[in-house]
Amino acid sequence: MSTTLTPVLSRNWDQPDSFTLAAYERTGGYQAMRKALRMEPDAIVQAVKDSGLRGRGGAGFPTGMKWGFLPPNSPKPRYLVVNADESEPGTCKDIPLMMANPHVLVEGIIISAYAIRSHHAFIYVRGEVLHVIRRLQQAVAEAYQAGYLGKDILGTGYDLDVVVHTGAGAYICGEETALLDSLEGYRGQPRLKPPFPAVAGLYGGPTVINNVESISSVPSIVANGPDWFASMGTEKSKGFGIFSLSGHVTRPGQYEAPLGITLRELLEMAGGMRKGRDLKFWTPGGSSTPLFTKEHMDVPLDFESVGAAGSMLGTRALQIFDETTCVVRAVLRWSEFYAHESCGKCTPCREGTYWYKQMLRRLENGQGTEEDLETLLDLSDNILGRSFCALGDGATSPVTSSIKLFRDEYIAHITEGGCPFDPAKSTVWAGEQ
């Protein structure tokens, strides 16, 4: 497998006008759409299946298979919904993609909607990222003016309308059914499944919900063929993806590479750890995935390998922490986030994340006991697999993995009466006063 960078979605991010229609067409933009509109919709679905594209929003479900779940004989309109509610702490790939190259998403929407025989598409964006919303609205308006959206696209007889919908800033709306409730004007809370969105989704109609990066990958598959896409990555995790490196690295940013690349290789491209520091722990897929340590630097970053090593690839949000970081404090901050963002619909998540926050605050301040660690693990067992959606499950990941990997550090908070990483007394910070 090649371990060099594979700039496809990010190829033209360095151009000052990369977000405009003119710049996108200058590099072959919307040619894949023209090719797709001459194909049978089922042929596009099959091409996406053959490519091996898996959902880039975290779950990694095969995209073409997801499209194939739509009931063939439903009398209700079909909908395509793009999940652009990027909210996971550490995840920062979709927002720069939409800022620098919004037209690849628009082109992907046109092709995908045509493939599933939909005439209505929605882009659900976080309300906080006003600059991204404006850029998407500009790109959609340019596509309408060019005749790529609206009635009788390029004289093919195919109609498609795209709406950019602004969310209200709720992490729970990244969960696909809560997103649908929000789109319909209700409070965003997860729905009971079944029925699944493919059968009864937006307004009760068959609905496909895909991540920004998933949809944006479709034009390159149509343009270059499924074999081209499948030639990258690993046997079961094919293609390329955007890896977001943040934290204590020399050059944080977006690195588009084949799935299966390792953190060691990515760190080399990013200039290594900051100031010669050593890696302590990291997340392979955002804060809701179990922690990895220095021993996991050579784990191939694909769905199967990361899962076999005890974590999840998720959104490829690699948060990097060096030895100056208190793991208890980091887990506390994440737990405060999940407690704040819990929608409150189910008891395990609503109560469990609250008690996480309370107990971890006590431990971080040196007021906890060893018994608290066992209580945290017992609490995790009562959240995991019992919450209504994946928010509760994700909240347990940093807690349980950090206790497993850094139990001594938790004990040190108890025996030393506070955080041993306090710069005023820590030997880790020696020489930096």
Side-chain angles (χ1 to χ4, degrees):
M1 183 205 71
S2 171
T3 55
T4 56
L5 294 178
T6 53
V8 177
L9 300 177
S10 59
R11 184 176 68 244
N12 301 313
W13 285 11
D14 59 337
Q15 297 183 12
D17 63 343
S18 65
F19 57 91
T20 65
L21 176 63
Y24 186 61
E25 291 186 318
R26 190 167 63 234
T27 55
Y30 289 106
Q31 293 303 312
M33 176 200 69
R34 288 180 165 84
K35 178 180 178 180
L37 292 178
R38 295 192 299 267
M39 299 169 61
E40 288 295 322
D42 291 343
I44 301 173
V45 175
Q46 189 60 49
V48 173
K49 288 181 179 179
D50 293 342
S51 73
L53 174 65
R54 297 172 63 172
R56 299 305 197 231
F61 193 83
T63 302
M65 185 181 298
K66 193 174 191 178
W67 292 0
F69 287 157
L70 295 178
N73 300 317
S74 174
K76 297 182 178 180
R78 295 183 171 196
Y79 298 101
L80 174 66
V81 176
V82 178
N83 188 343
D85 190 61
E86 188 170 57
S87 315
E88 181 80 14
T91 302
C92 48
K93 62 184 180 63
D94 294 338
I95 284 175
L97 172 58
M98 291 184 288
M99 275 295 290
N101 195 6
H103 278 284
V104 74
L105 174 60
V106 175
E107 184 177 20
I109 289 171
I110 298 168
I111 297 171
S112 303
Y114 174 75
I116 65 171
R117 297 177 170 85
S118 169
H119 300 284
H120 303 277
F122 296 84
I123 308 173
Y124 186 99
V125 196
R126 285 190 69 71
E128 292 94 336
V129 289
L130 184 59
H131 55 304
V132 177
I133 294 165
R134 288 171 173 166
R135 186 147 290 179
L136 280 173
Q137 289 172 335
Q138 177 187 356
V140 169
E142 286 181 327
Y144 268 106
Q145 291 168 2
Y148 300 154
L149 291 173
K151 301 293 184 183
D152 191 23
I153 297 173
L154 300 181
T156 61
Y158 176 62
D159 304 335
L160 176 65
D161 285 310
V162 174
V163 175
V164 178
H165 181 93
T166 304
Y171 172 68
I172 192 63
C173 289
E175 196 280 332
E176 61 180 19
T177 60
L179 185 156
L180 295 180
D181 266 14
S182 178
L183 258 179
E184 293 179 4
Y186 300 105
R187 179 181 180 181
Q189 288 191 326
R191 297 177 180 178
L192 182 65
K193 294 181 284 190
F196 292 92
V199 176
L202 186 64
Y203 307 124
T207 304
V208 166
I209 308 166
N210 282 131
N211 171 258
V212 168
E213 191 183 351
S214 306
I215 294 295
S216 298
S217 300
V218 171
S220 64
I221 294 172
V222 171
N224 300 301
D227 292 341
W228 166 83
F229 186 87
S231 68
M232 294 176 275
T234 63
E235 182 181 354
K236 294 183 179 179
S237 297
K238 300 183 185 300
F240 52 84
I242 299 175
F243 293 82
S244 304
L245 268 69
S246 64
H248 301 156
V249 295
T250 302
R251 290 190 297 274
Q254 315 301 323
Y255 294 81
E256 192 174 7
L259 299 188
I261 196 171
T262 65
L263 175 63
R264 186 182 302 277
E265 292 165 330
L266 287 168
L267 275 180
E268 288 176 1
M269 299 179 198
M273 300 294 293
R274 64 171 185 175
K275 299 179 182 178
R277 290 291 190 182
D278 288 329
L279 174 65
K280 181 177 180 179
F281 64 97
W282 56 289
T283 67
S287 61
S288 63
T289 58
L291 303 181
F292 273 169
T293 64
K294 193 173 183 178
E295 286 68 39
H296 299 95
M297 288 181 66
D298 295 311
V299 173
L301 294 174
D302 60 67
F303 293 102
E304 289 71 32
S305 300
V306 174
S311 189
M312 296 176 289
L313 185 61
T315 55
R316 285 154 283 118
L318 281 64
Q319 297 171 285
I320 313 299
F321 300 90
D322 66 24
E323 78 275 20
T324 65
T325 306
C326 170
V327 70
V328 180
R329 183 177 300 167
V331 174
L332 167 61
R333 296 294 179 265
W334 286 326
S335 297
E336 288 174 332
F337 171 83
Y338 289 119
H340 181 270
E341 295 296 334
S342 174
C343 74
K345 185 167 185 173
C346 70
T347 302
C349 179
R350 181 184 67 244
E351 300 299 320
T353 54
Y354 172 81
W355 284 108
Y356 270 164
K357 179 178 68 173
Q358 300 302 314
M359 297 179 69
L360 286 165
R361 279 180 181 171
R362 192 161 68 237
L363 284 163
E364 209 268 332
N365 291 327
Q367 300 167 351
T369 65
E370 287 195 45
E371 185 181 356
D372 287 337
L373 301 184
E374 302 309 316
T375 303
L376 281 170
L377 293 175
D378 181 65
L379 181 60
S380 299
D381 288 340
N382 282 282
I383 299 173
L384 186 63
R386 293 176 171 84
S387 57
F388 202 83
C389 77
L391 191 156
D393 291 352
T396 69
S397 294
V399 175
T400 55
S401 61
S402 63
I403 293 176
K404 177 183 177 182
L405 296 169
F406 298 99
R407 191 180 186 93
D408 289 348
E409 191 165 314
Y410 278 91
I411 298 298
H413 279 72
I414 298 167
T415 57
E416 297 186 24
C419 179
F421 287 84
D422 184 343
K425 61 181 181 180
S426 174
T427 57
V428 173
W429 293 83
E432 293 191 4
Q433 303 299 314

